Each structure stands twice: as structure tokens, then as C-alpha cells.
């Protein structure tokens, strides 16, 4: 290189050489003809389709695939979340259909096998209007209500039933009032096929409710609070203290008392208890015992009827055969034993309804920490808070990502298509 | 100097559209405008006329195949040069790879006293990196402005100017030329 530098080169020489390096050649244009012939000679299937057409074709296929996936997913979700009976819409329901639907709902609600169903002792009344209405929605609503009442209590059933009614309000539920049930003993057989008038609510007796409440109080003096809680019961009305216990010392002193008060005074006593201290926890439960009481009453009535019949037959049998007298005597003894058991059960149930239970747990109100927390404690608390928040954010993100996966997929598809189009249109993308 | 690119009565885009609609003569007119210039630029990149002709023919093949996809977002001229640049890069890479496989060293200059100014410039340009070499060839090509060269290279015009300045400085240093005020024709 150094020896070549001995030749003198000026800036003008350099520029001239650089320009000459890429000077156009002086020759007729002919290469394009060879290129055209080469492209024309290619088999048709190896030729590229124009970019834009290929992009549209790809997007059409992708969108169709996405649409099919969404439709299939929707159908799958619908088929697993609803109860199908396999009958054409508009057909009239039979009791067998209703029972099959009930069994499926039992399975969905987790009702144990062998549990006596309230539905089993009821007659189904399917109104004439139901024959032309979308009866599946009506059955689903009514039977769900029954099962929910049986498993989770009347209040829950009312809420759930309202939701069900709202969900299917447009599906002929105006006719749902025509579908009802009633215990067989309370209704004449001829009423079975008579539908109730639309809008008329089915008659129901006042529910027999068992009430109970759990409350946890923070107080300054545990003993005093327990004594005051015990004083809330009224022995003259049959109310009593079932349990009273105090244990521990100092800040660990705690007491518990269980009150049985008249159901009429349940709310008043509960308010009084809550005034004894700061309520740290409160939970109230209401259970509907109407069905159990009705069933027990029906069983008792049946036993009393049997007893009367036996007593009627006994004098006539005494004149005929001692063996028959002995048999009637044994039946009578068994029946009276059943009557006694049924009356006991009935009494216990009514007692559960007549008296409510209030369980009170009393603990000492903790005194606030006066000392300033140390640096390590503050750091630990901050770290704990941070980790908790991070976990919440992570969970939120995961839920968001999973929940919006279809949207993300769609956006990804659109982005990809946009990028593809841009690349096709950009100057450097070809060649 | 033959400058066919200025002999035009119809726009390049119109000619391309006519070719897409089936008029092969339109492609002939387009080639008449650009083929000689394209061969010149390819020769500047590859320093070999047969390879340059191959590159230009490949460029026409790609243009013919993709003509229907051209939407006018860039000018036809810039599009043609971009395709040619990409094709020249491919050829240079395959050539380099072939040389490595054969373990042979291609002589980059002539022997003895036959080394002239042209060869010295070519050797010096070869010593530049790919960005500098491409910028130099495109900017000193008489058919392209700096803005068009920037569009072909896909970089901002400021980048083109800085690359050009750097490449010229290295060339002057290699060839022993005193620095001048102006860098390249715009």
C-alpha cells in the first residue's frame, strides 16, 4: 500500500474513480427479457401469489378458525352448565321428566344419595299453559327452588330462586306460576290437573324457622360481661342459660355463654348482647324446619288413624279368635310406640323453633402496643405487605391474562397481520 | 455519460401498473430507464460485471413476481435499488462462503506496476465495512440523491451523511489524499 501511495492522487481523482465505479453501462436493456422468460417458464404452482391476496387468504382462514373455536367453546360451556332432558322445546313435561331433572340437580347440588326428597312426597301439577310454553326453563326454576330449599335453607333458596327467575324471565316464566306442588294429604285428587291462575302466588303457611347466632365480643371485663349476658334470659318465659364458662387470666381471660331465648325475643336479646362490648365477629343462621314438621305431623296423623282403626277392630276380634286379638294387641302396642316417638320428635322440632340459640364468646380487648416497633419489625411488615400485594397483583394478572386470552389471541392475530402487511408494503421487504 | 433515467414521458408507477395489467412493453420501457444504471451500481458493489448482470437479472425476476404487490408506498426507483442491494448482499455472502470453503484467497489487487488508480480505489473501498461501502457506492452513483440512498438503505439521511464522511476519511487516509470540504455530490 505504501509503495502505491507514491503515485500522486488528488481529491478529484478519487471522486472521479468513485463515480466511475458505479457508472451505468452502455448497453441495451435486455436482462429484463430473460427475467420475464424465466418467470413465465416457472410452473404455475411455484409462482408466488401477490402478497396482499395471500395475506387476505391467511386472515380469512385464521378468522374462520377463531370463530369456529369460539362457537365450539360456547356450545361446550352451555352443554355442561345446563341440564338437558332430551325433549323438544315446547313439549309438555311429565312427572318422570321432572324427577329426572331433579336427580340431575341433586347431583349438581351435591345432595347425598338416599336423602328423602321433598319432591318425592309431592304431586306435580303441570298447568295446561305449560304445554305450549318453554317448559324446561320452568322446570329448572321450580325444581331448583325445591332442592335449594331442602339443602341450603329457605333464605338461600329465595335468593337463588330470584336469580333463576331473573335469568329466565324471558323464557315463559310468566307461566311458571301454573307449575306448583302440594302435599298429597292436603289436596283433593281432582285438583291435581287444575292449574293455578297466572300471577297467583301459591299459598304457603308461615315457615317454622330455627334461629341461631354466634357473636364474639371484645370487652374490658370478661366476668362482668358474662354475668350481664346471663341476666338477659327470662326464666319465666322458659328461657335458660345452656352453658357458661370463664377461663384464663389477664389478657388471656375469656368466657363463653350460650343462651336459649324465645324466638320472639331473639332480635332484642341479640341487640342487647352486642351492646356488651365491641363485636369482633357475628354470624346468624336461620334454618327452615317447616318440611320436617309437616312430615312429622303427617306421620303422627297416620299413626293416630291406625290406632283408631285398631281400637275399632279390637272389640269385634275379641268375639272371634284370641289369636287375632293378640295380633291386634301387638299392632296397637307398636303403633302407640310410634305415636310416642313421633310426638317426641315433633316436640323437639317445635322446641327448636320456639327457642333461639345465641352463643357468645367474650375475650379481653387487647391493649394497644405503646412501644415503637423496631426497624426490623417495620421492614418485615413492609416486606410482608409487599409480598402480599405482589401476590395479589400476580393473581390479578394471571386472572386477567387467562380471562382475556381470546382477546389477546385476536389482538396478536391482528398485530401479526398488520406487521405482515407492513412488511409486504415496505421497500426492503421484497427481494 | 449515458443517463437513461431522465428520458421519461410516463411515470414509473404507471409503467409498472401497465405491466401488471398485461403490457410487457411497459416493463421494457422501465428496464430501458433503469437497467444500465442498475448494472452500474451492482458492478460497484460486486466489482465484477458478470455477477452484476446476474444480480440485475435476479432483480427483474423479483420485480416481475412482486409487481402486483407494489402499492406505491415507495417510489419504483427506490424499490428497484433496494431489491438490487439485497440481491448483491446475497451474492457477496455466498461468494465469501464459497471462498472460505475452497480455502483460497482471491487476489484483491493486480501485480507489480500494473496497479493503477482504479484498482487502488477499488481495493481501498473493499477494505471499508459493508455499511460504508454500500453508502459510498450509492451516494457516488449519479442516479441517486442522498435522500434516495437513505431510503434504499433504510436509514435516516443523517446516518447516510455520517457514514459517508467516515468512509471518505478512511479512503483519503488509505490513498494519501488531502481532505476536501465537499464530501459527495448530492
Amino acid at each position: 500500500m505504501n509503495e502505491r501511495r507514491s503515485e500522486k492522487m488528488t481529491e478529484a481523482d478519487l471522486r472521479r474513480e468513485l463515480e466511475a465505479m458505479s457508472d451505468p453501462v452502455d448497453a441495451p436493456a435486455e436482462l429484463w427479457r430473460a427475467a420475464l422468460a424465466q418467470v413465465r417458464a416457472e410452473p404455475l404452482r411455484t409462482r408466488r401469489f401477490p402478497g396482499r391476496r395471500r395475506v387476505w387468504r391467511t386472515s380469512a382462514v385464521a378468522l374462520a378458525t377463531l370463530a369456529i373455536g369460539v362457537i365450539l367453546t360456547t356450545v361446550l360451556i352451555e352443554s355442561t352448565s345446563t341440564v338437558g332432558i332430551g325433549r323438544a322445546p315446547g313439549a309438555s313435561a311429565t312427572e318422570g321428566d321432572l324427577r329426572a331433572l331433579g336427580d340431575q340437580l341433586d347431583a349438581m347440588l351435591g345432595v347425598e344419595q338416599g336423602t328423602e326428597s321433598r319432591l318425592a312426597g309431592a304431586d306435580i301439577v303441570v298447568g295446561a299453559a305449560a304445554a305450549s310454553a318453554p317448559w324446561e326453563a320452568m322446570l329448572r326454576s321450580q325444581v331448583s327452588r325445591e332442592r335449594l330449599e331442602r339443602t341450603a335453607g329457605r333464605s338461600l333458596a329465595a335468593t337463588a330462586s330470584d336469580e333463576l327467575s331473573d335469568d329466565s324471565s324471558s323464557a315463559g316464566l310468566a307461566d311458571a306460576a301454573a307449575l306448583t306442588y302440594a302435599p298429597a294429604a292436603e289436596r283433593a285428587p281432582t285438583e291435581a290437573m287444575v292449574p293455578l291462575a297466572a300471577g297467583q302466588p301459591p299459598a304457603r303457611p308461615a315457615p317454622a324457622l330455627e334461629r341461631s347466632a354466634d357473636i364474639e365480643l371484645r370487652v374490658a371485663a370478661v366476668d362482668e360481661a358474662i354475668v350481664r349476658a346471663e341476666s338477659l334470659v327470662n326464666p319465666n318465659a322458659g328461657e335458660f342459660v345452656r352453658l357458661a364458662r370463664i377461663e384464663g387470666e389477664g389478657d388471656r381471660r375469656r368466657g363463653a355463654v350460650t343462651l336459649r331465648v324465645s324466638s320472639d325475643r331473639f332480635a332484642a336479646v341479640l341487640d342487647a348482647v352486642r351492646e356488651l362490648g365491641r363485636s369482633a365477629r357475628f354470624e346468624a343462621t336461620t334454618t327452615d324446619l317447616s318440611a320436617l314438621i309437616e312430615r312429622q305431623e303427617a306421620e303422627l296423623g297416620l299413626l293416630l288413624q291406625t290406632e283408631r282403626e285398631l281400637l275399632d277392630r279390637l272389640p269385634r276380634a275379641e268375639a272371634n279368635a284370641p289369636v287375632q286379638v293378640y295380633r291386634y294387641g301387638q299392632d296397637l302396642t307398636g303403633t302407640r310406640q310410634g305415636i310416642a316417638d313421633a310426638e317426641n320428635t315433633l316436640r323437639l322440632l317445635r322446641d327448636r323453633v320456639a327457642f333461639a340459640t345465641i352463643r357468645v364468646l367474650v375475650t379481653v380487648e387487647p391493649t394497644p402496643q405503646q412501644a415503637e416497633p423496631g426497624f426490623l419489625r417495620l421492614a418485615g411488615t413492609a416486606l410482608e405487605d409487599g409480598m402480599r400485594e405482589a401476590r395479589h397483583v400476580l393473581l390479578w394478572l394471571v386472572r386477567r391474562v387467562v380471562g382475556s386470552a381470546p382477546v389477546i389471541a385476536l389482538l396478536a392475530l391482528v398485530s401479526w397481520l398488520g406487521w405482515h402487511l407492513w412488511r409486504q408494503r415496505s421497500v426492503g421487504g421484497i427481494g | 455519460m449515458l443517463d437513461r433515467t431522465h428520458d421519461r414521458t410516463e411515470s414509473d408507477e404507471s409503467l409498472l401498473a401497465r405491466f401488471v395489467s398485461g403490457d410487457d412493453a411497459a416493463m421494457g420501457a422501465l428496464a430501458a430507464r433503469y437497467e444500465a444504471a442498475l448494472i452500474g451500481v451492482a458492478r460497484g458493489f460486486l466489482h465484477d460485471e458478470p455477477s452484476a448482470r446476474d444480480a440485475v437479472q435476479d432483480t427483474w425476476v423479483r420485480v416481475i413476481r412482486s409487481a402486483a404487490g407494489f402499492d406505491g408506498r415507495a417510489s419504483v426507483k427506490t424499490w428497484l435499488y433496494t431489491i438490487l442491494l439485497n440481491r448483491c448482499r446475497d451474492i457477496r455472502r455466498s461468494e465469501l462462503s464459497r471462498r472460505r470453503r475452497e480455502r483460497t484467497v482471491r487476489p484483491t489487487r493486480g501485480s507489480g506496476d500494473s496497479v493503477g488508480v482504479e484498482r487502488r480505489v477499488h481495493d481501498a473501498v473493499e477494505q471499508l465495512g459493508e455499511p460504508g461501502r454500500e453508502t459510498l457506492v450509492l451516494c457516488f452513483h449519479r442516479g441517486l440523491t442522498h435522500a434516495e440512498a437513505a431510503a434504499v438503505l433504510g436509514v435516516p439521511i443523517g446516518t447516510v451523511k455520517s457514514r459517508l464522511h467516515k468512509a471518505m476519511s478512511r479512503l483519503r487516509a488509505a490513498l494519501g489524499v488531502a481532505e476536501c470540504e465537499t464530501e459527495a455530490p448530492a
Side-chain angles (χ1 to χ4, degrees):
Chain A
M1 182 72 79
N2 290 334
E3 60 184 354
R4 286 197 299 277
R5 281 183 184 173
S6 59
E7 296 180 22
K8 188 66 177 175
M9 181 182 288
T10 63
E11 178 79 15
D13 293 336
L14 176 59
R15 291 177 176 278
R16 191 166 50 249
E17 286 300 325
L18 288 173
E19 288 174 358
M21 206 165 59
S22 58
D23 262 350
V25 295
D26 191 6
E30 56 188 11
L31 296 176
W32 71 276
R33 289 186 188 281
L36 191 59
Q38 182 182 335
V39 173
R40 294 266 162 85
E42 289 175 352
L44 190 60
R45 57 187 166 81
T46 62
R47 286 190 203 171
R48 287 185 182 179
F49 285 98
R52 198 185 305 172
R53 197 180 305 169
R54 191 168 61 246
V55 168
W56 284 119
R57 190 181 52 184
T58 308
S59 23
V61 171
L63 284 176
T65 308
L66 189 67
I68 291 171
V70 169
I71 291 170
L72 285 177
T73 308
T74 307
V75 169
L76 188 64
I77 290 172
E78 286 295 318
S79 65
T80 53
S81 62
T82 59
V83 179
I85 298 184
R87 183 180 289 270
S92 59
T94 65
E95 185 175 344
D97 289 333
L98 190 57
R99 290 190 188 285
L101 183 59
D103 291 337
Q104 292 185 46
L105 284 166
D106 273 345
M108 289 168 60
L109 294 170
V111 176
E112 292 179 4
Q113 292 295 322
T115 304
E116 186 180 1
S117 168
R118 187 174 166 183
L119 198 63
D123 288 338
I124 313 302
V125 180
V126 181
S132 59
W135 55 272
E136 278 193 38
M138 300 188 325
L139 289 181
R140 192 175 302 122
S141 170
Q142 186 66 22
V143 177
S144 297
R145 185 189 186 100
E146 294 304 319
R147 298 306 167 104
L148 286 171
E149 281 179 352
R150 200 179 65 229
T151 55
R154 187 178 298 277
S155 59
L156 174 62
T159 306
S161 179
D162 290 343
E163 291 172 359
L164 286 168
S165 300
D166 290 339
D167 289 344
S168 52
S169 57
S170 62
L173 273 188
D175 298 325
L179 176 68
T180 184
Y181 71 94
E186 297 179 7
R187 185 174 47 75
T190 51
E191 296 175 18
M193 299 307 293
V194 179
L196 298 175
Q200 177 185 350
R204 283 179 180 273
L209 301 178
E210 179 189 23
R211 302 174 192 275
S212 66
D214 291 85
I215 184 166
E216 188 174 338
L217 297 175
R218 300 276 190 269
V219 298
V222 171
D223 298 41
E224 181 187 347
I226 293 294
V227 170
R228 286 175 60 189
E230 288 177 346
S231 68
L232 293 173
V233 303
N234 180 12
N236 294 331
E239 299 175 354
F240 61 99
V241 177
R242 180 184 284 175
L243 169 73
R245 184 178 68 239
I246 299 177
E247 59 189 9
E249 293 296 335
D251 288 345
R252 293 178 174 276
R253 192 158 182 84
R254 53 190 288 156
V257 60
T258 303
L259 311 177
R260 290 280 289 167
V261 298
S262 170
S263 290
D264 300 337
R265 296 183 61 238
F266 176 68
V269 174
L270 201 55
D271 288 342
V273 167
R274 295 177 74 170
E275 289 174 359
L276 294 178
R278 184 175 65 84
S279 176
R281 187 179 69 88
F282 173 71
E283 182 180 342
T285 310
T286 303
T287 308
D288 187 4
L289 300 179
S290 304
L292 288 174
I293 290 176
E294 284 175 12
R295 188 180 302 130
Q296 208 60 40
E297 285 174 344
E299 186 177 341
L300 182 60
L302 189 63
L303 288 169
L304 289 172
Q305 177 68 23
T306 305
E307 183 191 29
R308 278 196 298 274
E309 289 177 358
L310 286 172
L311 288 174
D312 285 345
R313 292 174 186 175
L314 193 58
R316 292 197 295 272
E318 284 176 349
N320 296 328
V323 176
Q324 200 166 12
V325 172
Y326 175 71
R327 191 182 303 152
Y328 280 160
Q330 278 203 326
D331 290 348
L332 195 57
T333 303
T335 303
R336 283 175 173 165
Q337 183 63 43
I339 289 171
D341 291 343
E343 286 176 341
N344 273 336
T345 305
L346 202 54
R347 190 164 51 251
L348 286 174
L349 288 173
R350 284 173 176 158
D351 184 62
R352 285 168 62 184
V353 172
F355 290 93
T357 305
I358 300 175
R359 287 176 284 272
V360 186
L361 177 65
V362 182
T363 55
V364 177
E365 182 79 55
T367 54
Q369 294 288 334
Q370 298 297 329
E372 286 292 326
F375 170 74
L376 287 177
R377 188 173 187 82
L378 284 174
T381 307
L383 184 63
E384 188 181 358
D385 291 346
M387 293 293 286
R388 188 168 53 248
E389 289 301 319
R391 194 177 69 233
H392 288 163
V393 169
L394 189 64
L395 285 172
W396 180 83
L397 274 176
V398 168
R399 287 198 195 101
R400 286 288 173 186
V401 169
V402 171
S404 57
V407 179
I408 290 174
L410 191 61
L411 287 177
L413 179 67
V414 170
S415 305
W416 178 81
L417 287 173
W419 174 79
H420 200 71
L421 277 173
W422 177 83
R423 197 181 63 168
Q424 289 287 334
R425 290 178 181 179
S426 67
V427 174
I430 301 173
Chain B
M1 183 65 58
L2 183 64
D3 191 357
R4 297 170 189 273
T5 60
H6 295 294
D7 181 20
R8 55 182 62 185
T9 55
E10 187 178 1
S11 72
D12 298 339
E13 287 74 17
S14 173
L15 289 174
L16 195 66
R18 277 174 49 202
F19 170 71
V20 170
S21 62
D23 183 4
D24 290 351
M27 180 58 72
L30 202 61
R33 288 180 186 177
Y34 290 111
E35 189 170 295
L38 290 174
I39 294 174
V41 172
R43 193 186 57 200
F45 285 137
L46 303 172
H47 305 302
D48 180 32
E49 187 151 335
S51 299
R53 286 181 170 276
D54 288 344
V56 173
Q57 184 168 333
D58 284 351
T59 300
W60 287 126
V61 168
R62 289 165 193 252
V63 167
I64 291 166
R65 282 177 179 163
S66 309
F70 181 78
D71 59 359
R73 194 176 167 194
S75 69
V76 171
K77 181 181 179 182
T78 310
W79 186 48
L80 291 175
Y81 277 93
T82 304
I83 296 174
L84 179 71
L85 176 63
N86 290 332
R87 186 60 196 138
C88 288
R89 284 172 179 166
D90 293 342
I91 291 175
R92 281 184 68 90
R93 286 187 196 121
S94 60
E95 180 70 13
L96 189 64
S97 166
R98 187 183 62 78
R99 275 190 234 155
R100 281 178 184 160
R101 280 199 306 272
E102 295 174 356
R103 297 173 182 270
T104 58
V105 180
R106 181 184 177 188
T108 58
R109 62 192 177 195
S111 59
D113 297 335
S114 66
V115 176
V117 175
E118 180 184 349
R119 174 55 61 185
R120 288 176 56 196
V121 171
H122 282 190
D123 289 348
V125 169
E126 276 298 306
Q127 301 303 315
L128 300 173
E130 188 175 75
R133 186 172 57 247
E134 290 173 354
T135 305
L136 205 63
V137 171
L138 288 174
C139 287
F140 276 91
H141 177 58
R142 297 189 186 188
L144 287 177
T145 64
H146 283 191
E148 288 171 335
V152 170
L153 290 167
V155 296
I157 190 167
T159 306
V160 167
K161 287 180 178 176
S162 66
R163 284 182 186 174
L164 183 63
H165 177 77
K166 193 174 173 183
M168 285 299 290
S169 298
R170 290 185 61 185
L171 273 186
R172 287 189 194 106
L175 299 171
V177 177
E179 190 166 354
C180 181
E181 294 263 333
T182 56
E183 288 292 345

